[in-house]
Structures are given as C-alpha cells and as structure tokens.
Amino acid sequence: MSRIAYVNGRYVPHSEAEIHVEDRGYQFADGVYEVAAICLGRIIDEEQHLERLKRSLRELQIAMPMADAPFALVCREILRQNRVRDGILYIQVSRGVARRDHPFPEDIEPALVMTARASNWPTDPDSDSGSKVISVDDIRWLRRDIKSVSLLPNVLAKQEARDKGAYEAWLMDDEGFVTEGSSSNAWIVDLEGRIVTRELDPRILGGITRATVIELARKNGIEVVERKFSLDEALSAPEAFLTSTTSFVRGVVSINDKAVGDGTPGPLTRRMRGLYFEFCRGAGSNI
Ligand code: PDD
C-alpha cells in the first residue's frame, strides 16, 4: 500500500509530496512540529499534543492553520488513508511561503503537512533491555520549550550517540546538569526511591510523555520531584530512564559506558514502563 501525505489541503502520494523551495520552514527552520503515537487506533494524549502545537505557534506568532474540528478530521483522515492502527502521526506547521527575507512577511498563510507511519510498538513492558546514553554539551538555543523544527544540535548529538554505539545523548548545561535527551526527557531514581526529572522552563521541551508519566506515578503513590540533576548524580543513581512519544519509557543502563545501578532497567523504571503501556492501551484519548 502506498503512503499518503497531507500537504496544504491535499492528500497526495508520499513520493509526490512536496513543499515550495521558499517555504520558511525549509529556509529558516521557521516552523514547529508534533509527533504523536497511535496505539490501537487512538491518538495518545491528542489534546495535549494539540495544546502544545498551539502554544509553540503562539510563541512564534504563527497562526494555527485551521480550526480544531477540521484539524482533528485531517489527523483522522491521514491515519485512515495510511491504515495506521499502531504508529506515528507527524504534524508540521511552518510560517508559510514567501520571498526570502528574515522578518515575518505580511499576509502569509501557514503551511501544514501531516504524515503517518505504521510501527509495531512493543506490548511487553519487560521487552526493554535498556539503552546506553552518552553525554554531550547542550549547544541549542534558549527556547527549547518551543517544539521548533530547528533540530540541528539534536541531530548532531543523536549522531554522536549512534557513532558511539549509544541510543541517546543526554545534553549537559554549563553547570554540569542534564537538561534532557536529544529527542527525549531524562530521568533518574534518587536514593530515597523518588523519580526525578528536570523542572519545566525554557531550557527543556515539556514532553507530553513526561507529563503523563508524572501523573501516572503520582496516581500510583510514587513520589516525583521536578528538579535538576547532575551527570554525577545520574551515575550514582540506582536507576535512570528516558521518555518520549516514540520511546515510551526506556531504561538507561549506562552513561558514557559507566553502568547505572546494576546495568539493567531497574524496578521503578519497569513499573513506570508497565503503567505507561497500560495507559496507552486503555486510556489514550479516543478517535
Ligand atoms: N521528540 N525533548 C526533546 C528535545 C524532544 O525532541 C522530545 C520528543 C522530547 C519528548 O517529548 P514527548 O514526550 O512529547 O515526545 C523531549 C520527538 C519524539 C521527535 O522529535 O521525534
């Protein structure tokens, strides 16, 4: 079955899906995106993804390309046309097309692209054998709370991780604290058995998985602390893990080739992965 993409009002074969050479997303990274997971035909945390998209757009003074109801219809239609029951929905909005010039052009229409792709998500919480992480300097701009398509530092960090045989790169601020991963949020378990992740501010992306994991933990009597942690603290923590839309909850078993805990995903990590899987299979918002 050939894939279909949505591009500015049209459903087109993926291989023919094109944007204009003067799209500002392409020329200036002047745009934002969302990635949502689809589980059992449902868009997980749909409302939260929509709210974050609107917030990112607002921060950049880009208009939402359409009202909520037609937007939700396009999301469903792209999933239907690509027959995605389990997979990923990708949404990108750029400021639009205009003659290249830095300031915002007047009377410009935002450009909207959506794609969907099937993926076989794991269903067994114990399927995670744990991931290796490396640390690199966080060289990004200071508005990481905006989910901008300007991802070059993230790409370079992830490539460095791959080159070193690791799954993810944890990004380090000037003071030796971990901000987040190149495409995920970073967590540890402290010596008192609380789970710890950096507080929200413009230095990290407010992950939708992060928010859901915090809620699930608290509902299940697990204490969560939102504060910075250093690389040294992570290295001596009993457990570490990462979260994102496409990685769900994954154990971090080494950082820079030094084992975290006993070098396997720890009990709280596995518990959170289990709770998150349960949430995805049951409670994600309904299509
Ligand atoms: N990335 N931090 C960064 C820098 C990210 O790029 C992501 C997600 C996250 C986790 O956010 P969420 O839980 O909402 O997925 C944190 C997506 C998956 C991506 O770029 O593919």
Side-chain angles (χ1 to χ4, degrees):
M1 194 199 79
S2 64
R3 289 178 65 199
I4 304 292
Y6 175 88
V7 186
N8 293 322
R10 293 172 57 225
Y11 295 92
V12 291
H14 196 267
S15 55
E16 293 164 27
E18 287 165 359
I19 53 136
H20 197 278
V21 287
E22 287 195 313
D23 186 290
R24 288 177 63 96
Y26 173 65
Q27 290 193 324
F28 294 113
D30 189 359
V32 302
Y33 74 107
E34 280 296 323
V35 182
I38 314 303
C39 282
L40 303 175
R42 287 189 295 261
I43 303 171
I44 302 301
D45 283 329
E46 179 177 8
E47 215 180 294
Q48 290 84 340
H49 282 285
L50 180 62
E51 280 314 307
R52 186 172 64 184
L53 176 67
K54 287 182 178 173
R55 178 182 182 278
S56 295
L57 289 171
R58 236 183 359 256
E59 291 295 318
L60 300 180
Q61 299 170 52
I62 299 175
M64 181 70 185
M66 56 176 80
D68 288 2
F71 188 84
L73 275 180
V74 176
C75 293
R76 276 147 190 75
E77 187 57 19
I78 201 74
L79 295 174
R80 193 189 65 75
Q81 292 203 19
N82 288 282
R83 296 190 198 161
V84 174
R85 193 167 172 270
D86 287 296
I88 290 167
L89 171 65
Y90 179 82
I91 302 165
Q92 180 169 328
V93 183
S94 79
R95 193 176 305 279
V97 176
R99 193 174 63 112
R100 188 178 182 281
D101 193 14
H102 287 65
F104 301 165
E106 274 169 30
D107 302 326
I108 191 170
E109 295 278 319
L112 172 63
V113 169
M114 281 194 209
T115 58
R117 189 173 83 205
S119 180
N120 286 322
W121 298 129
T123 50
D124 176 5
D126 291 326
S127 56
D128 177 28
S129 54
S131 301
K132 293 179 167 191
V133 159
I134 61 161
S135 64
V136 303
D137 287 343
D138 196 339
I139 59 169
R140 298 174 298 163
W141 73 327
L142 296 175
R143 288 303 310 274
R144 303 150 189 170
D145 55 317
I146 299 172
K147 200 164 169 60
S148 136
V149 292
S150 170
L151 289 171
L152 192 51
N154 309 59
V155 167
L156 295 178
K158 187 77 95 186
Q159 185 58 39
E160 191 173 332
R162 288 292 185 276
D163 290 344
K164 292 181 172 161
Y167 178 75
E168 180 59 300
W170 276 7
L171 310 176
M172 307 292 305
D173 70 15
D174 291 346
E175 291 161 343
F177 293 107
V178 175
T179 52
E180 60 184 329
S182 70
S183 64
S184 56
N185 288 108
W187 306 68
I188 58 169
V189 174
D190 72 9
L191 298 172
E192 280 76 45
R194 297 178 291 221
I195 62 178
V196 178
T197 194
R198 192 171 170 124
E199 72 278 9
L200 292 181
D201 70 11
R203 283 176 167 68
I204 65 166
L205 181 74
I208 304 297
T209 322
R210 175 190 178 283
T212 299
V213 165
I214 290 176
E215 200 183 319
L216 289 172
R218 290 188 173 143
K219 270 191 190 150
N220 285 275
I222 299 161
E223 212 180 318
V224 183
V225 186
E226 293 176 76
R227 66 159 172 86
K228 295 175 185 56
F229 59 85
S230 67
L231 196 64
D232 285 344
E233 184 180 4
L235 279 166
S236 53
E239 300 181 40
F241 61 94
L242 57 85
T243 58
S244 82
T245 293
T246 46
S247 292
F248 305 104
V249 177
R250 274 176 97 116
V252 168
V253 293
S254 73
I255 304 172
N256 296 333
D257 284 327
K258 292 179 200 109
V260 176
D262 68 0
T264 63
L268 258 181
T269 301
R270 282 186 278 127
R271 174 111 196 270
M272 292 320 305
R273 185 171 161 89
L275 288 170
Y276 190 73
F277 273 13
E278 235 171 71
F279 164 80
C280 288
R281 298 180 71 76
S285 64
N286 264 313
I287 275 189

mmCIF file of all heavy atoms in Angstrom, residues 37-48 50 68-69 72-73 75-76 79 85 89 279-287:
data_model
loop_
_atom_site.group_PDB
_atom_site.id
_atom_site.type_symbol
_atom_site.label_atom_id
_atom_site.label_comp_id
_atom_site.label_asym_id
_atom_site.label_seq_id
_atom_site.Cartn_x
_atom_site.Cartn_y
_atom_site.Cartn_z
ATOM 1 N N ALA A 37 1.945 9.410 19.185
ATOM 2 C CA ALA A 37 1.899 7.954 18.987
ATOM 3 C C ALA A 37 0.451 7.527 18.773
ATOM 4 O O ALA A 37 -0.470 8.098 19.366
ATOM 5 C CB ALA A 37 2.482 7.249 20.206
ATOM 6 N N ILE A 38 0.282 6.535 17.930
ATOM 7 C CA ILE A 38 -1.031 5.936 17.710
ATOM 8 C C ILE A 38 -0.969 4.522 18.280
ATOM 9 O O ILE A 38 -0.071 3.746 17.910
ATOM 10 C CB ILE A 38 -1.375 5.856 16.198
ATOM 11 C CG1 ILE A 38 -1.048 7.172 15.484
ATOM 12 C CG2 ILE A 38 -2.824 5.447 15.991
ATOM 13 C CD1 ILE A 38 -1.721 8.394 16.026
ATOM 14 N N CYS A 39 -1.853 4.219 19.197
ATOM 15 C CA CYS A 39 -1.910 2.870 19.775
ATOM 16 C C CYS A 39 -3.337 2.377 19.665
ATOM 17 O O CYS A 39 -4.261 3.082 20.117
ATOM 18 C CB CYS A 39 -1.524 2.886 21.258
ATOM 19 S SG CYS A 39 0.221 3.003 21.535
ATOM 20 N N LEU A 40 -3.496 1.200 19.088
ATOM 21 C CA LEU A 40 -4.837 0.604 18.929
ATOM 22 C C LEU A 40 -5.803 1.609 18.304
ATOM 23 O O LEU A 40 -6.966 1.705 18.703
ATOM 24 C CB LEU A 40 -5.375 0.118 20.284
ATOM 25 C CG LEU A 40 -4.503 -0.895 21.032
ATOM 26 C CD1 LEU A 40 -5.080 -1.205 22.413
ATOM 27 C CD2 LEU A 40 -4.377 -2.188 20.218
ATOM 28 N N GLY A 41 -5.318 2.361 17.322
ATOM 29 C CA GLY A 41 -6.172 3.299 16.593
ATOM 30 C C GLY A 41 -6.447 4.607 17.305
ATOM 31 O O GLY A 41 -7.201 5.431 16.790
ATOM 32 N N ARG A 42 -5.858 4.812 18.486
ATOM 33 C CA ARG A 42 -6.107 6.070 19.203
ATOM 34 C C ARG A 42 -4.870 6.966 19.174
ATOM 35 O O ARG A 42 -3.742 6.469 19.228
ATOM 36 C CB ARG A 42 -6.471 5.791 20.659
ATOM 37 C CG ARG A 42 -7.866 5.208 20.832
ATOM 38 C CD ARG A 42 -8.223 5.179 22.313
ATOM 39 N NE ARG A 42 -7.353 4.265 23.029
ATOM 40 C CZ ARG A 42 -7.680 3.017 23.357
ATOM 41 N NH1 ARG A 42 -8.866 2.538 23.038
ATOM 42 N NH2 ARG A 42 -6.840 2.246 24.001
ATOM 43 N N ILE A 43 -5.110 8.268 19.114
ATOM 44 C CA ILE A 43 -4.003 9.222 19.205
ATOM 45 C C ILE A 43 -3.742 9.437 20.689
ATOM 46 O O ILE A 43 -4.592 9.976 21.402
ATOM 47 C CB ILE A 43 -4.357 10.565 18.532
ATOM 48 C CG1 ILE A 43 -4.761 10.349 17.064
ATOM 49 C CG2 ILE A 43 -3.183 11.540 18.648
ATOM 50 C CD1 ILE A 43 -5.322 11.587 16.387
ATOM 51 N N ILE A 44 -2.585 8.997 21.150
ATOM 52 C CA ILE A 44 -2.290 9.096 22.580
ATOM 53 C C ILE A 44 -2.095 10.568 22.962
ATOM 54 O O ILE A 44 -1.337 11.292 22.315
ATOM 55 C CB ILE A 44 -1.015 8.280 22.923
ATOM 56 C CG1 ILE A 44 -1.192 6.814 22.524
ATOM 57 C CG2 ILE A 44 -0.640 8.426 24.391
ATOM 58 C CD1 ILE A 44 -2.360 6.112 23.177
ATOM 59 N N ASP A 45 -2.776 10.988 24.014
ATOM 60 C CA ASP A 45 -2.675 12.362 24.515
ATOM 61 C C ASP A 45 -2.915 13.403 23.416
ATOM 62 O O ASP A 45 -2.190 14.407 23.298
ATOM 63 C CB ASP A 45 -1.301 12.600 25.176
ATOM 64 C CG ASP A 45 -1.212 11.975 26.565
ATOM 65 O OD1 ASP A 45 -2.242 11.886 27.253
ATOM 66 O OD2 ASP A 45 -0.093 11.583 26.964
ATOM 67 N N GLU A 46 -3.948 13.159 22.634
ATOM 68 C CA GLU A 46 -4.227 14.041 21.485
ATOM 69 C C GLU A 46 -4.388 15.513 21.903
ATOM 70 O O GLU A 46 -3.807 16.414 21.293
ATOM 71 C CB GLU A 46 -5.495 13.553 20.776
ATOM 72 C CG GLU A 46 -5.851 14.427 19.596
ATOM 73 C CD GLU A 46 -7.063 13.921 18.842
ATOM 74 O OE1 GLU A 46 -7.719 12.976 19.323
ATOM 75 O OE2 GLU A 46 -7.341 14.488 17.773
ATOM 76 N N GLU A 47 -5.186 15.718 22.947
ATOM 77 C CA GLU A 47 -5.462 17.087 23.368
ATOM 78 C C GLU A 47 -4.171 17.815 23.775
ATOM 79 O O GLU A 47 -3.953 18.971 23.427
ATOM 80 C CB GLU A 47 -6.387 16.998 24.581
ATOM 81 C CG GLU A 47 -7.394 18.093 24.680
ATOM 82 C CD GLU A 47 -8.238 17.867 25.924
ATOM 83 O OE1 GLU A 47 -8.984 16.855 25.937
ATOM 84 O OE2 GLU A 47 -8.111 18.673 26.871
ATOM 85 N N GLN A 48 -3.318 17.079 24.493
ATOM 86 C CA GLN A 48 -2.070 17.691 24.969
ATOM 87 C C GLN A 48 -1.138 18.041 23.796
ATOM 88 O O GLN A 48 -0.464 19.072 23.810
ATOM 89 C CB GLN A 48 -1.359 16.739 25.931
ATOM 90 C CG GLN A 48 -2.055 16.567 27.272
ATOM 91 C CD GLN A 48 -3.165 15.520 27.275
ATOM 92 O OE1 GLN A 48 -3.717 15.141 26.245
ATOM 93 N NE2 GLN A 48 -3.493 15.026 28.452
ATOM 94 N N LEU A 50 -2.150 18.792 20.783
ATOM 95 C CA LEU A 50 -2.758 19.944 20.105
ATOM 96 C C LEU A 50 -2.460 21.230 20.888
ATOM 97 O O LEU A 50 -2.094 22.254 20.309
ATOM 98 C CB LEU A 50 -4.280 19.726 19.967
ATOM 99 C CG LEU A 50 -5.025 20.858 19.287
ATOM 100 C CD1 LEU A 50 -4.553 21.050 17.850
ATOM 101 C CD2 LEU A 50 -6.539 20.615 19.307
ATOM 102 N N ASP A 68 -9.987 23.715 15.244
ATOM 103 C CA ASP A 68 -9.769 22.407 15.887
ATOM 104 C C ASP A 68 -10.507 21.259 15.199
ATOM 105 O O ASP A 68 -9.931 20.185 14.996
ATOM 106 C CB ASP A 68 -10.229 22.451 17.353
ATOM 107 C CG ASP A 68 -9.286 23.273 18.208
ATOM 108 O OD1 ASP A 68 -8.316 23.837 17.650
ATOM 109 O OD2 ASP A 68 -9.522 23.363 19.424
ATOM 110 N N ALA A 69 -11.773 21.469 14.856
ATOM 111 C CA ALA A 69 -12.573 20.353 14.325
ATOM 112 C C ALA A 69 -12.026 19.856 12.979
ATOM 113 O O ALA A 69 -11.754 18.658 12.833
ATOM 114 C CB ALA A 69 -14.037 20.743 14.245
ATOM 115 N N ALA A 72 -8.706 18.073 13.555
ATOM 116 C CA ALA A 72 -8.852 16.709 14.076
ATOM 117 C C ALA A 72 -9.295 15.753 12.964
ATOM 118 O O ALA A 72 -8.874 14.593 12.924
ATOM 119 C CB ALA A 72 -9.861 16.697 15.224
ATOM 120 N N LEU A 73 -10.118 16.273 12.046
ATOM 121 C CA LEU A 73 -10.570 15.431 10.922
ATOM 122 C C LEU A 73 -9.409 15.061 10.004
ATOM 123 O O LEU A 73 -9.296 13.918 9.559
ATOM 124 C CB LEU A 73 -11.622 16.176 10.093
ATOM 125 C CG LEU A 73 -13.049 16.090 10.588
ATOM 126 C CD1 LEU A 73 -13.976 16.879 9.664
ATOM 127 C CD2 LEU A 73 -13.503 14.626 10.640
ATOM 128 N N CYS A 75 -6.282 14.832 10.880
ATOM 129 C CA CYS A 75 -5.480 13.836 11.618
ATOM 130 C C CYS A 75 -6.056 12.439 11.403
ATOM 131 O O CYS A 75 -5.336 11.497 11.091
ATOM 132 C CB CYS A 75 -5.468 14.113 13.125
ATOM 133 S SG CYS A 75 -4.625 15.619 13.601
ATOM 134 N N ARG A 76 -7.387 12.316 11.565
ATOM 135 C CA ARG A 76 -8.020 11.006 11.421
ATOM 136 C C ARG A 76 -7.943 10.496 9.993
ATOM 137 O O ARG A 76 -7.731 9.318 9.746
ATOM 138 C CB ARG A 76 -9.487 11.081 11.873
ATOM 139 C CG ARG A 76 -9.600 10.914 13.362
ATOM 140 C CD ARG A 76 -10.728 11.701 13.969
ATOM 141 N NE ARG A 76 -10.619 11.672 15.424
ATOM 142 C CZ ARG A 76 -9.727 12.381 16.113
ATOM 143 N NH1 ARG A 76 -8.840 13.151 15.492
ATOM 144 N NH2 ARG A 76 -9.682 12.288 17.422
ATOM 145 N N LEU A 79 -4.540 9.158 9.117
ATOM 146 C CA LEU A 79 -4.348 7.837 9.747
ATOM 147 C C LEU A 79 -5.145 6.781 8.984
ATOM 148 O O LEU A 79 -4.655 5.682 8.716
ATOM 149 C CB LEU A 79 -4.788 7.860 11.218
ATOM 150 C CG LEU A 79 -3.950 8.757 12.133
ATOM 151 C CD1 LEU A 79 -4.568 8.821 13.523
ATOM 152 C CD2 LEU A 79 -2.510 8.242 12.216
ATOM 153 N N ARG A 85 -2.888 1.764 12.643
ATOM 154 C CA ARG A 85 -3.550 1.389 13.902
ATOM 155 C C ARG A 85 -2.553 1.571 15.045
ATOM 156 O O ARG A 85 -2.886 2.008 16.132
ATOM 157 C CB ARG A 85 -4.015 -0.054 13.792
ATOM 158 C CG ARG A 85 -4.957 -0.459 14.882
ATOM 159 C CD ARG A 85 -5.635 -1.780 14.558
ATOM 160 N NE ARG A 85 -6.396 -2.229 15.701
ATOM 161 C CZ ARG A 85 -5.911 -3.001 16.651
ATOM 162 N NH1 ARG A 85 -4.676 -3.443 16.593
ATOM 163 N NH2 ARG A 85 -6.663 -3.347 17.675
ATOM 164 N N LEU A 89 1.995 9.739 14.125
ATOM 165 C CA LEU A 89 1.418 10.841 13.355
ATOM 166 C C LEU A 89 2.399 12.010 13.454
ATOM 167 O O LEU A 89 2.781 12.398 14.560
ATOM 168 C CB LEU A 89 0.062 11.225 13.958
ATOM 169 C CG LEU A 89 -0.606 12.491 13.420
ATOM 170 C CD1 LEU A 89 -0.976 12.337 11.950
ATOM 171 C CD2 LEU A 89 -1.852 12.820 14.248
ATOM 172 N N PHE A 279 -1.606 2.567 30.160
ATOM 173 C CA PHE A 279 -2.275 3.826 29.805
ATOM 174 C C PHE A 279 -2.510 3.898 28.291
ATOM 175 O O PHE A 279 -3.600 4.208 27.824
ATOM 176 C CB PHE A 279 -1.429 5.008 30.291
ATOM 177 C CG PHE A 279 -1.810 6.312 29.678
ATOM 178 C CD1 PHE A 279 -2.907 7.028 30.148
ATOM 179 C CD2 PHE A 279 -1.091 6.835 28.606
ATOM 180 C CE1 PHE A 279 -3.276 8.234 29.569
ATOM 181 C CE2 PHE A 279 -1.455 8.042 28.024
ATOM 182 C CZ PHE A 279 -2.548 8.729 28.507
ATOM 183 N N CYS A 280 -1.456 3.573 27.508
ATOM 184 C CA CYS A 280 -1.571 3.676 26.048
ATOM 185 C C CYS A 280 -2.610 2.698 25.505
ATOM 186 O O CYS A 280 -3.330 3.005 24.568
ATOM 187 C CB CYS A 280 -0.230 3.390 25.366
ATOM 188 S SG CYS A 280 0.936 4.714 25.607
ATOM 189 N N ARG A 281 -2.677 1.544 26.099
ATOM 190 C CA ARG A 281 -3.592 0.524 25.581
ATOM 191 C C ARG A 281 -5.021 0.744 26.068
ATOM 192 O O ARG A 281 -5.946 0.151 25.519
ATOM 193 C CB ARG A 281 -3.094 -0.875 25.962
ATOM 194 C CG ARG A 281 -1.713 -1.158 25.346
ATOM 195 C CD ARG A 281 -1.222 -2.521 25.729
ATOM 196 N NE ARG A 281 -1.972 -3.561 25.056
ATOM 197 C CZ ARG A 281 -1.811 -3.898 23.780
ATOM 198 N NH1 ARG A 281 -0.925 -3.278 23.057
ATOM 199 N NH2 ARG A 281 -2.529 -4.844 23.251
ATOM 200 N N GLY A 282 -5.166 1.620 27.073
ATOM 201 C CA GLY A 282 -6.526 1.810 27.592
ATOM 202 C C GLY A 282 -7.020 3.237 27.543
ATOM 203 O O GLY A 282 -8.066 3.530 26.997
ATOM 204 N N ALA A 283 -6.197 4.150 28.032
ATOM 205 C CA ALA A 283 -6.743 5.457 28.358
ATOM 206 C C ALA A 283 -6.379 6.593 27.409
ATOM 207 O O ALA A 283 -6.792 7.711 27.630
ATOM 208 C CB ALA A 283 -6.310 5.853 29.773
ATOM 209 N N GLY A 284 -5.617 6.310 26.333
ATOM 210 C CA GLY A 284 -5.295 7.395 25.390
ATOM 211 C C GLY A 284 -6.604 7.948 24.834
ATOM 212 O O GLY A 284 -7.608 7.243 24.801
ATOM 213 N N SER A 285 -6.602 9.212 24.406
ATOM 214 C CA SER A 285 -7.885 9.816 24.019
ATOM 215 C C SER A 285 -8.483 9.070 22.816
ATOM 216 O O SER A 285 -7.757 8.544 21.989
ATOM 217 C CB SER A 285 -7.682 11.287 23.697
ATOM 218 O OG SER A 285 -6.838 11.420 22.587
ATOM 219 N N ASN A 286 -9.784 9.062 22.724
ATOM 220 C CA ASN A 286 -10.472 8.260 21.708
ATOM 221 C C ASN A 286 -10.558 8.932 20.353
ATOM 222 O O ASN A 286 -10.798 10.122 20.269
ATOM 223 C CB ASN A 286 -11.901 7.989 22.179
ATOM 224 C CG ASN A 286 -11.996 6.645 22.842
ATOM 225 O OD1 ASN A 286 -11.495 5.658 22.315
ATOM 226 N ND2 ASN A 286 -12.632 6.615 23.999
ATOM 227 N N ILE A 287 -10.402 8.142 19.298
ATOM 228 C CA ILE A 287 -10.619 8.687 17.955
ATOM 229 C C ILE A 287 -12.121 8.766 17.708
ATOM 230 O O ILE A 287 -12.832 7.872 18.062
ATOM 231 C CB ILE A 287 -9.941 7.782 16.894
ATOM 232 C CG1 ILE A 287 -8.482 8.193 16.767
ATOM 233 C CG2 ILE A 287 -10.625 7.916 15.537
ATOM 234 C CD1 ILE A 287 -7.761 7.562 15.635
#
